[in-house]
Structures are given as C-alpha cells and as structure tokens.
Amino acid sequence: PGAADGVYYYVNPVPENLANIEAWTAAASQIFLSLSLGKGGIITMSSYNRFHSNIFHAAAIVSVADTAVSVLSGFVVFSS
C-alpha cells in the first residue's frame, strides 16, 4: 500500500523542494558515489582491452548503465 503514491512523488516532485539546496547536495553525493563504484568497472574493463581500444566508448557505456541503475533504484526506493 502506498507504492503508487511513492512512485508518483518520484516522477512528479514538489517544485518547492527543487529549490532546496540540501536536496541537490544529497543528489550530487549519490551520483558521485555511484559513479565512483562504476569507476572500478572501467578500470577492470581497461585491463582486458587492446592498447588502442576506445576507452571513451567503454566509459560512456558504464556511465549510462550507472544512470539507468540509479533511476531504477529510485523507483524501487520510492515504491517501498
């Protein structure tokens, strides 16, 4: 019960809360934390790549996957 309300709040935030600097600070720290965990994956993948491989492509894939997991995690957290 209440999962739909949580997802609604996640998708449609209160505009007054978007002006709160503490909310943006918490969001930035979450992004940096999750990307720092993804950095280990980038280093691991780089050890298996050829010398002239496109590391920017691999870094973009890890960053996009990290963003997708963060959005999915937001749905899980707000629905529970």
Side-chain angles (χ1 to χ4, degrees):
D5 295 334
V7 171
Y8 179 79
Y9 182 74
Y10 179 63
V11 177
N12 299 315
V14 177
E16 292 82 28
N17 291 345
L18 293 177
N20 186 355
I21 191 68
E22 293 174 1
W24 288 101
T25 304
S29 66
Q30 173 62 33
I31 289 170
F32 289 132
L33 175 68
S34 65
L35 279 176
S36 67
L37 295 174
K39 183 178 154 184
I42 292 172
I43 293 171
T44 301
M45 288 191 311
S46 68
S47 66
Y48 291 105
N49 285 336
R50 297 179 309 279
F51 184 73
H52 293 291
S53 68
N54 188 359
I55 191 66
F56 296 114
H57 180 70
I61 289 173
V62 170
S63 298
V64 168
D66 178 65
T67 301
V69 168
S70 293
V71 170
L72 177 66
S73 299
F75 277 106
V76 170
V77 167
F78 275 82
S79 67
S80 58

